[in-house]
């Protein structure tokens, strides 16, 4: 009986299980942190998605221009990709000004903010295009310059027409 004691065996089994129990205890302590992290990711993703259609003056507009767009620029890996993205951001600012003008929300503050942001994106696009030029990709540079200039001209005409129609007596 001494050789095969139940108590001794039970104690040894428990001693062997203690390291496993500590391991489980460690992960059970992390469970609330993991849950909070998942919740933050899903909530943040929802807010980020909702901010995509925000216009200047909307509550989520800062999320759009200070979080969503910089993250996109970071994930655009090549100079061509970054130049195209910056060109698209210029277009977005011009489209936002068109939407605000149509809904009579284009006041001086919004106009100045959109203009400042559009010029910043246009400068960034031109800098990226110059980087493409430095890498001797002349065709790509010409294409990107053409896209940027075409976009600026087209939206300039649209905004001019909106302003002209708003001023004309109805």
């Amino acid at each position: 009986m001494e050789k095969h004691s139940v108590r001794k065996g039970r104690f040894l089994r428990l001693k062997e299980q203690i390291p496993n129990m500590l391991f489980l205890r460690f992960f059970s302590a992390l469970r609330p942190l993991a849950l909070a992290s998942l919740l933050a990711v899903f909530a943040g993703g929802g807010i980020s998605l909702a901010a995509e259609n925000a216009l200047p003056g909307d509550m989520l507009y800062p999320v759009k221009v200070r979080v969503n767009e910089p993250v996109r620029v970071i994930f655009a890996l090549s100079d061509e990709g970054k130049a195209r993205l910056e060109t698209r951001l210029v277009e977005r600012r011009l489209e936002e000004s068109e939407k605000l003008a149509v809904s009579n929300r284009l006041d001086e503050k919004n106009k100045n903010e959109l203009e400042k942001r559009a010029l910043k994106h246009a400068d960034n696009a031109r800098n990226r295009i110059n980087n493409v030029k430095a890498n001797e990709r002349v065709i790509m540079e010409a294409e990107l310059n053409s896209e940027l200039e075409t976009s600026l001209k087209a939206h300039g005409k649209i905004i001019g027409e909106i302003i002209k129609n708003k001023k004309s007596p109805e």
Side-chain angles (χ1 to χ4, degrees):
M1 271 193 165
E2 273 184 37
K3 198 174 186 182
H4 299 291
S5 170
V6 174
R7 289 185 181 248
K8 188 176 181 185
R10 184 174 173 205
F11 177 72
L12 287 175
R13 278 183 278 154
L14 185 61
K15 189 176 178 183
E16 291 170 0
Q17 290 176 355
I18 288 175
N20 291 338
M21 289 179 3
L22 291 174
F23 180 74
L24 291 174
R25 195 175 299 154
F26 173 74
F27 280 107
S28 67
L30 290 179
R31 198 173 302 156
L33 180 63
L35 184 62
S37 298
L38 273 172
L39 184 62
V41 166
F42 286 123
I47 290 171
S48 180
L49 186 62
E52 278 303 303
N53 294 322
L55 294 172
D58 293 347
M59 187 183 336
L60 293 177
Y61 189 73
V63 174
K64 176 181 177 179
V65 296
R66 293 186 187 142
V67 177
N68 293 4
E69 292 173 355
V71 167
R72 283 186 180 158
V73 172
I74 289 169
F75 283 108
L77 300 177
S78 67
D79 284 327
E80 295 93 1
K82 290 181 191 251
R84 287 185 195 283
L85 181 59
E86 292 288 351
T87 300
R88 177 65 188 121
L89 293 177
V90 170
E91 290 175 1
R92 283 183 94 173
R93 298 296 88 85
L94 296 171
E95 289 167 1
E96 290 166 357
S97 63
E98 292 166 10
K99 288 177 184 176
L100 289 174
V102 166
S103 64
N104 288 325
R105 291 176 46 199
L106 188 61
D107 58 9
E108 267 317 296
K109 180 184 173 193
N110 289 337
K111 182 180 174 186
N112 290 336
E113 180 182 352
L114 287 169
E115 185 178 333
K116 183 177 88 173
R117 289 185 187 280
L119 290 174
K120 178 183 160 222
H121 292 304
D123 287 341
N124 290 344
R126 285 190 180 102
N127 289 337
R128 298 291 180 188
I129 291 168
N130 287 337
N131 288 347
V132 171
K133 182 179 183 180
N135 292 333
E136 298 182 24
R137 298 183 207 161
V138 178
I139 296 172
M140 184 63 71
E141 177 205 359
E143 183 181 320
L144 292 170
N145 269 323
S146 175
E147 284 179 25
L148 179 60
E149 295 304 320
T150 302
S151 175
L152 291 173
K153 286 178 185 176
H155 286 285
K157 286 181 182 179
I158 292 169
I159 291 172
E161 287 296 318
I162 290 171
I163 292 172
K164 181 178 153 185
N165 290 338
K166 292 283 180 186
K167 289 182 180 179
S168 66
E170 294 182 32

